[in-house]
Amino acid sequence: MAEVSMKSFLPESLPGYSTDIAGQIGLLWELIKPPLIVPLLRICVYICLAMSIMVFMERLYMGIVIILVKLFWKKPEKRYKWEAMKDDIELGNGAYPIVLVQIPMFNEREVYKISIGAACNLSWPADRLVIQVLDDSTDLVIKDMVEKECIRWASKGINIRYQIRESRGGYKAGALKEGLKRDYVKECEYVVMFDADFRPEPDFLKRAVPFLIHNKDIALVQGRWSTTDTIGGAALAFVQTPKQCQRCTPTTSRDEQNLGKKYAFPVNSNECLLTRMQEMSLDYHFKVEQEVGSATHAFFGFNGTGGIWRIGAINEAGGWKDRTTVEDMDLAVRSGLKGWKFLYLGDLQVKSELPSTFKAFRFQQHRWSCGPANLFRKMVMDIATNKKVTLYKKFYVIYSFFFVRKIIAHMFTFFFYCVFLPLTIMVPEVDVPKWGSIYIPCIITILNSVGTPRSFHLLFYWVLFENVMSFHRTKATFIGLFEAKRVNEWVVTEKLGDVLKNKSNTKSSAPRRSLSKILGDRIQIHELGFAVFLFVCGCYDFLYGKNCYFIYLFLQVITFTIAGFGFVGTIVPSS
């Protein structure tokens, strides 16, 4: 048997044997490529092509249905019974159902005033509205500030309750569940949730509640998140006097408007390129996915905020559960399996703030990708064996809602465009058809862009950025499917409010962060690693390739590098 020397890891008897390490690596590559690398890579490419067809058919189906909905479907007010709320002389305010408003909070220093003010500004009789501020803050200073704000509004005649817990068990789901256990909630028929960075319009309840009153099979009315201020200025929360709250009329006095201007709400889609990218993704989600789900199946995922529930439906479904990081989707699926219907109102908009720092966005996307995958693992058999919904709806929920959108879409994007397509450059024996590498991706991209026509010129960079984020989403999806270490990680999305504007005018008392801490938050090793890998593949394609993939690869390298060095989104000063 041929001997292997200390400076060699191949037998000297092999044909083409070389004494230098580079030659031996090249020989080893040529030995294992035909029997192992080529077949494996070809199988992976075929799997990715199959996934691309699944995503393409899903997007095409969505596109066709949304066109039909816009052209031929009746408006929600025509599909369901709806009558405007009217004052009753005999019943007085008793004609209005009692509505609970829940505002979960966690150290929301920058936005707590505007969220509480917006809830107190809802046009609804004061004696038929209960506002519940669920404060899980760990910062005692912020806790005191939130409590004082609640006391200030209570002194104006608003029925507002400040609630705290001994522990943060269950995070947001635990807080909402605990809030529904209060004695005064027993009189409430409906509950509406607004996260701390959401600001509803005053007529939100008057437009949404009639659907629940007159249609007993509807459990949820969901509004659309709005991140663009269509009137050109900041959204303001105007303060009301107790007398005006009783009459459900907005404030018009100059003094109170000036007070409202102190708390301008950051509708921030134009803040930076990161928020513009998010706007494009969210617009497709709301304007297409939610609209199609509501119109065809009366089912979609609850967005966790900006929606009003029938409390009876929540209780029938088993209440809030904290088994995943998407408690809102969990509740929606369980309620849907009970036969309840959901209604999405695209023109019922709730202004919100998008995460404008890359760190906050990554944590948010981890939660939004890991949670659905983990919920799918836990509920797929419950959905398949359910007796109350049709086979067609079960197929829609399992295949379209979960499998394609929450799992396949992430994996296909990452593995095909960031791993296997670049590898085929190094293994030219594996051919990728043009329809799979160019035509289908272009059609999918165009279909994804229909929700935000104003950002069409950013479409190419959006694709590159989504490829970067697909790494984090795919990793989070696997964590959710296999219930790995970070499966229940919950990091509250950081809201900046006017912090950047305020930091330029006032000195912060926060301690300076060390250089190592700053670099640790900014530098992303994984993104830089993929940048190096794609750069090598791009150079090889430029020198020896035939498909000109290097144009795409070098642009993707730039995007990975920008993300790797943290030059994405806004940079919050450390002091």
Side-chain angles (χ1 to χ4, degrees):
M1 183 176 178
E3 295 183 358
V4 179
S5 67
M6 294 295 292
K7 297 183 179 180
S8 170
F9 51 84
L10 293 175
E12 297 181 3
S13 60
L14 279 176
Y17 174 82
S18 174
T19 57
D20 66 288
I21 298 297
Q24 293 180 44
I25 293 176
L27 178 60
L28 180 63
W29 171 254
E30 293 300 327
L31 286 173
I32 67 174
K33 186 170 71 169
L36 181 63
I37 302 298
V38 172
L40 282 178
L41 184 57
R42 185 171 285 126
I43 291 173
C44 292
V45 168
Y46 287 159
I47 293 174
C48 285
L49 291 175
M51 290 193 294
S52 73
I53 294 174
M54 294 168 67
V55 175
F56 169 72
M57 295 303 296
E58 171 71 10
R59 295 294 189 269
L60 186 62
Y61 161 77
M62 289 285 184
I64 293 173
V65 172
I66 196 62
I67 291 174
L68 295 176
V69 168
K70 296 299 183 182
L71 292 179
F72 303 110
W73 253 249
K74 295 180 180 179
K75 297 293 183 181
E77 294 80 2
K78 302 295 183 180
R79 296 203 313 267
Y80 297 94
K81 186 176 180 182
W82 187 90
E83 293 180 8
M85 300 296 301
K86 298 179 181 178
D87 293 331
D88 191 301
I89 299 177
E90 295 182 1
L91 295 176
N93 290 341
Y96 290 77
I98 302 178
V99 177
L100 173 68
V101 180
Q102 289 187 315
I103 310 175
M105 290 193 174
F106 178 73
N107 295 336
E108 310 288 0
R109 178 190 296 270
E110 306 300 336
V111 293
Y112 75 95
K113 284 188 178 181
I114 186 63
S115 59
I116 294 175
C120 294
N121 190 46
L122 287 169
S123 182
W124 203 255
D127 60 337
R128 312 298 288 176
L129 187 68
V130 182
I131 299 173
Q132 194 179 64
V133 178
L134 305 169
D135 190 11
D136 275 355
S137 298
T138 53
D139 189 314
L140 297 180
V141 175
I142 298 177
K143 256 187 175 181
D144 183 61
M145 294 164 63
V146 175
E147 184 176 13
K148 287 180 179 178
E149 184 70 8
C150 292
I151 294 173
R152 188 176 75 84
W153 280 102
S155 67
K156 296 178 178 291
I158 302 296
N159 186 4
I160 184 170
R161 309 295 182 95
Y162 176 74
Q163 309 286 173
I164 60 174
R165 300 186 293 162
E166 293 183 358
S167 69
R168 289 186 66 214
Y171 301 110
K172 181 180 176 181
L176 295 172
K177 183 177 182 179
E178 189 71 22
L180 291 178
K181 292 180 180 179
R182 303 291 176 173
D183 291 336
Y184 55 84
V185 175
K186 295 178 181 178
E187 299 179 355
C188 301
E189 296 181 54
Y190 311 114
V191 55
V192 59
M193 298 92 173
F194 298 115
D195 284 351
D197 54 329
F198 280 74
R199 185 259 188 184
E201 296 297 330
D203 64 348
F204 183 94
L205 294 179
K206 285 193 171 181
R207 296 176 60 189
V209 170
F211 285 104
L212 296 169
I213 293 176
H214 300 294
N215 303 274
K216 300 302 181 182
D217 55 348
I218 293 181
L220 165 67
V221 177
Q222 174 71 58
R224 180 166 77 89
W225 298 3
S226 174
T227 58
T228 304
D229 191 355
T230 55
I231 31 183
L236 304 179
F238 297 121
V239 180
Q240 293 177 329
T241 63
K243 183 177 180 180
Q244 287 169 326
C245 291
Q246 293 287 345
R247 291 160 46 195
C248 305
T249 56
T251 293
T252 56
S253 71
R254 182 175 299 177
D255 291 340
E256 287 164 350
Q257 287 185 3
N258 289 335
L259 181 59
K261 290 177 183 177
K262 291 169 61 179
Y263 309 127
F265 186 76
V267 185
N268 66 333
S269 62
N270 292 321
E271 184 172 343
C272 60
L273 196 56
L274 174 61
T275 54
R276 288 292 292 272
M277 299 298 102
Q278 293 176 68
E279 181 194 29
M280 295 175 70
S281 300
L282 286 174
D283 278 352
Y284 179 82
H285 169 68
F286 282 104
K287 294 181 180 180
V288 179
E289 291 179 344
Q290 298 293 72
E291 188 78 63
V292 169
S294 175
T296 58
H297 302 281
F299 172 83
F300 50 83
F302 173 45
N303 294 113
T305 178
I308 181 168
W309 277 88
R310 189 184 301 274
I311 293 180
I314 295 178
N315 294 332
E316 183 182 345
W320 292 101
K321 293 186 178 180
D322 59 359
R323 56 182 176 173
T324 70
T325 57
V326 283
E327 72 295 323
D328 42 16
M329 187 181 295
D330 189 347
L331 176 61
V333 174
R334 286 184 283 113
S335 297
L337 295 179
K338 293 291 183 180
W340 288 100
K341 294 182 178 180
F342 304 156
L343 175 63
Y344 168 74
L345 298 178
D347 59 350
L348 184 65
Q349 299 186 17
V350 184
K351 296 187 184 299
S352 62
E353 177 185 350
L354 296 171
S356 58
T357 65
F358 191 42
K359 180 180 179 181
F361 181 61
R362 283 189 292 109
F363 278 125
Q364 182 198 68
Q365 293 303 298
H366 172 86
R367 192 171 75 244
W368 286 4
S369 301
C370 176
N374 190 232
L375 182 62
F376 178 68
R377 170 194 170 110
K378 286 179 164 65
M379 291 206 67
V380 61
M381 292 308 299
D382 293 337
I383 300 170
T385 57
N386 184 270
K387 304 295 184 182
K388 290 189 176 183
V389 297
T390 64
L391 181 63
Y392 180 48
K393 186 171 182 177
K394 286 192 285 187
F395 175 79
Y396 170 77
V397 175
I398 292 176
Y399 175 78
S400 180
F401 180 77
F402 272 115
F403 189 61
V404 176
R405 293 188 220 162
K406 313 299 182 187
I407 297 175
I408 293 298
H410 303 325
M411 294 184 179
F412 153 68
T413 303
F414 170 67
F415 285 118
F416 189 57
Y417 296 114
C418 301
V419 180
F420 298 133
L421 184 63
L423 282 177
T424 59
I425 295 171
M426 316 292 285
V427 186
E429 293 87 347
V430 179
D431 181 57
V432 180
K434 289 291 188 293
W435 61 263
S437 61
I438 299 175
Y439 303 138
I440 283 185
C442 287
I443 297 173
I444 292 175
T445 301
I446 293 172
L447 291 173
N448 280 338
S449 69
V450 297
T452 317
R454 81 184 187 102
S455 297
F456 190 79
H457 63 289
L458 298 174
L459 194 58
F460 191 73
Y461 183 73
W462 177 77
V463 171
L464 298 174
F465 180 69
E466 284 294 291
N467 289 346
V468 173
M469 291 308 303
S470 69
F471 164 70
H472 295 283
R473 293 170 182 147
T474 300
K475 181 174 67 173
T477 299
F478 277 117
I479 290 174
L481 286 174
F482 296 104
E483 295 197 331
K485 186 176 181 180
R486 295 176 59 196
V487 67
N488 290 317
E489 179 184 77
W490 182 285
V491 179
V492 176
T493 304
E494 180 185 22
K495 293 95 177 177
L496 296 182
D498 288 329
V499 65
L500 296 179
K501 187 187 303 181
N502 294 338
K503 277 183 177 290
S504 64
N505 297 326
T506 61
K507 293 183 178 180
S508 173
S509 59
R512 286 181 175 272
R513 294 187 300 168
S514 63
L515 180 61
S516 60
K517 175 65 176 175
I518 295 174
L519 292 178
D521 289 341
R522 290 283 299 276
I523 303 299
Q524 308 299 323
I525 300 299
H526 296 108
E527 279 85 345
L528 294 177
F530 273 104
V532 172
F533 164 68
L534 294 176
F535 180 74
V536 171
C537 293
C539 290
Y540 189 91
D541 186 59
F542 178 76
L543 296 173
Y544 309 108
K546 300 178 181 179
N547 295 313
C548 296
Y549 287 152
F550 66 87
I551 299 174
Y552 152 73
L553 290 175
F554 287 151
L555 290 172
Q556 193 65 72
V557 167
I558 294 173
T559 311
F560 266 108
T561 304
I562 291 172
F565 284 111
F567 290 104
V568 178
T570 57
I571 308 299
V572 182
S574 60
S575 63

